[in-house]
Amino acid sequence: MKREIIRIEDISDINLLREGWKNATKGDKYWRKSTHNYEVNLERNLLSLSHRLREGTWRPSSGHTFRMMTEGKWRDITSFPIEDRIVHYAVVHMFNMSRHFIRRTHGSIKGRGCLSASKQVRKDIRNISHRVELLNKQHEKNRAASEEIFEVTVVKYDCKKFYPNILKPRLKEKIRRKYKGEAAIALLFAIIDSYMPDSERGMSIGALTSQDMGNFFLTMLDLFALENIRTHYYNRYVDDITTLRESKAQAIAAIPRMVEAAEKDGIIFGRIEVYPLRVRRVDFCGYAVGMLNGTLSTRMRPKTVRRYRRRLHVAANHLATQRATVLGGFAAESLRQTIASYEGIAFHADTHNSHNLLINIKRNYYEVFRTSDREPHCSRHERERVATA
């Protein structure tokens, strides 16, 4: 395949760096002190950055790493200075690695988030269930000659500590196969090496470049599953892979080949689950999806519901212990965002299940919802005034 040329002049273009500035200062990131200091002489700073990128004298920062509990796991998150975030945006924009992703790759891609992944799984379950039903009818007459039983079987792969275990030399090799332009590639390699420079493994969680490069690193595994193993019903969200097979025998036969292909890139599957769809739902991207009496059934994940109840319980305890009639600016704004987020998830589940669930939750935490609705919204300027008070 012909390699794409990436020019350092395009990455260092002043207009692209301005776009990077706008992207890097979205939301709460704008209120960082370092961001305001950079904005004082914005044009001069961007021109200086553009010059250093062209000359090859700009060096990426290793960032500030801290630990955060997300989804029940402790993760090392890296925060980068404003100039690094601007360069990351320009690099991601010009390399445009997403053009190499397959359609069934989800996560950190515009228009292909959790909901897109879940809808694709639902569509696959409908299609494969219909196909298995037809196959069983065709083989019903020849059951004595063929003992194969067709049944929708789910196989789930989970990459063990994916980002910390990415092999940097292997990633660089994959990049060189698709791109050329020594100055631009040297810049990208410098960003890769800036995180844990003494180790051959590891990629920062929190960098914009890591999101694209993580998906790019697994693209060859995606293609192997589709083209070599013929896994037609395949979906990946970042490092979580879910496949559907027409029989248990097909599912078990595909596992060693997937493990072998992953090990070539230094990827280890920490957990592999195999089970028939009739026994358990597919727990993927916020929803538990299955077939109930020939009809597709979609529910919110039990873990998601528990997390929602826990956050409401914390707010209810705050109101009770503080004897407050309102939650306060930051707390109320955060609670409103939480409620909107979980109600949005429930909206895309089955109507009768989600409707009854939300009614019960609102009944149990009526005081929290009433207080949250009464609290006025906190604007950006109000938040800045409260923070500096």
Side-chain angles (χ1 to χ4, degrees):
M1 181 179 175
K2 189 175 180 181
R3 292 186 297 166
E4 183 180 355
I5 300 174
I6 307 297
R7 300 169 63 247
I8 192 65
E9 291 80 8
D10 295 329
I11 294 176
S12 60
D13 181 73
I14 190 66
N15 294 321
L16 182 59
L17 296 180
R18 285 196 192 97
E19 288 183 26
W21 158 262
K22 292 177 182 178
N23 180 270
T25 54
K26 284 182 179 178
D28 293 336
K29 295 177 183 178
Y30 179 74
W31 304 107
R32 296 178 183 177
K33 185 177 180 180
S34 59
T35 303
H36 283 282
N37 293 339
Y38 198 85
E39 190 180 23
V40 173
N41 294 308
L42 180 60
E43 285 302 314
R44 183 183 299 176
N45 288 331
L46 292 180
L47 286 170
S48 172
L49 175 59
S50 176
H51 177 73
R52 283 178 285 148
L53 287 172
R54 288 172 186 263
E55 295 296 321
T57 58
W58 182 84
R59 294 292 177 266
S61 167
S62 58
H64 168 66
T65 301
F66 58 94
R67 305 207 80 191
M68 178 184 288
M69 173 70 77
T70 59
E71 298 181 357
K73 297 180 183 178
W74 285 103
R75 305 181 194 272
D76 291 328
I77 311 297
T78 307
S79 175
F80 291 92
I82 179 61
E83 203 164 76
D84 286 71
R85 300 202 301 272
I86 294 171
V87 174
H88 290 176
Y89 176 85
V91 168
V92 167
H93 181 83
M94 290 311 304
F95 274 86
N96 190 23
M97 290 183 176
S98 60
R99 64 187 291 269
H100 299 290
F101 304 162
I102 66 169
R103 181 60 186 86
R104 291 173 175 270
T105 298
H106 306 272
S108 305
I109 307 169
K110 188 175 181 179
R112 283 193 262 170
C114 284
L115 183 58
S116 172
S118 178
K119 286 184 176 181
Q120 184 62 59
V121 168
R122 298 178 208 182
K123 183 179 179 181
D124 289 347
I125 289 176
R126 287 195 197 97
N127 292 341
I128 195 172
S129 297
H130 179 65
R131 178 170 171 76
V132 165
E133 186 179 350
L134 292 177
L135 287 172
N136 282 325
K137 287 181 180 178
Q138 292 174 4
H139 286 73
E140 189 174 356
K141 297 180 181 179
N142 302 325
R143 184 66 69 189
S146 174
E147 296 182 356
E148 184 177 12
I149 299 175
F150 292 97
E151 181 179 32
V152 180
T153 304
V154 182
V155 185
K156 298 182 70 177
Y157 305 87
D158 181 28
C159 299
K160 185 177 181 180
K161 295 184 178 179
F162 173 58
Y163 282 106
N165 284 326
I166 289 180
L167 280 171
K168 295 178 184 178
R170 185 64 173 158
L171 174 60
K172 293 176 182 179
E173 181 184 335
K174 290 173 180 282
I175 291 171
R176 284 203 176 274
R177 287 181 183 176
K178 298 293 183 181
Y179 301 98
K180 59 183 177 180
E182 285 305 314
I185 289 178
L187 173 63
L188 182 57
F189 286 0
I191 293 173
I192 294 172
D193 292 331
S194 65
Y195 180 76
M196 298 178 65
D198 298 330
S199 175
E200 288 192 345
R201 288 181 179 269
M203 186 176 296
S204 60
I205 301 176
L208 186 62
T209 51
S210 299
Q211 299 172 5
D212 264 18
M213 286 192 288
N215 280 325
F216 180 76
F217 190 76
L218 288 177
T219 296
M220 290 305 296
L221 182 63
D222 299 339
L223 293 172
F224 178 83
L226 290 176
E227 297 174 1
N228 294 67
I229 309 181
R230 303 290 182 182
T231 309
H232 302 296
Y233 303 103
Y234 173 98
N235 287 282
R236 177 171 64 81
Y237 184 85
V238 188
D239 61 336
D240 292 330
I241 301 172
T242 297
T243 67
L244 303 173
R245 306 296 299 207
E246 294 162 356
S247 68
K248 184 178 179 180
Q250 291 180 9
I252 293 175
I255 291 174
R257 299 182 67 185
M258 281 288 288
V259 171
E260 183 182 358
E263 286 178 348
K264 290 180 180 178
D265 288 334
I267 301 167
I268 299 173
F269 292 127
R271 183 180 60 200
I272 302 176
E273 299 179 63
V274 184
Y275 58 90
L277 184 63
R278 61 177 173 78
V279 172
R280 199 169 109 204
R281 294 168 178 265
V282 179
D283 191 350
F284 189 63
C285 288
Y287 297 93
V289 188
M291 293 295 289
L292 187 63
N293 298 325
T295 305
L296 189 72
S297 174
T298 305
R299 297 178 180 175
M300 291 175 66
R301 293 175 65 192
K303 189 181 293 185
T304 304
V305 177
R306 287 196 299 270
R307 193 181 298 127
Y308 186 25
R309 290 182 183 275
R310 193 180 304 121
R311 295 191 180 185
L312 293 174
H313 185 70
V314 169
N317 284 343
H318 175 81
L319 288 172
T321 56
Q322 301 297 327
R323 297 180 181 178
T325 57
V326 294
L327 288 171
F330 288 108
E333 182 70 14
S334 176
L335 179 61
R336 269 193 296 271
Q337 293 173 359
T338 297
I339 292 172
S341 174
Y342 283 99
E343 288 187 348
I345 295 173
F347 178 78
H348 293 281
D350 288 348
T351 305
H352 61 282
N353 288 327
S354 59
H355 179 70
N356 294 334
L357 173 66
L358 293 178
I359 286 178
N360 289 332
I361 289 176
K362 288 182 178 180
R363 183 185 298 120
N364 294 336
Y365 298 98
Y366 170 76
E367 190 64 26
V368 175
F369 281 89
R370 185 183 65 83
T371 305
S372 174
D373 290 340
R374 191 173 61 188
E375 182 72 18
H377 287 271
C378 185
S379 66
R380 269 190 176 187
H381 299 292
E382 290 170 337
R383 278 187 287 173
E384 183 182 21
R385 179 175 55 79
V386 171
T388 55

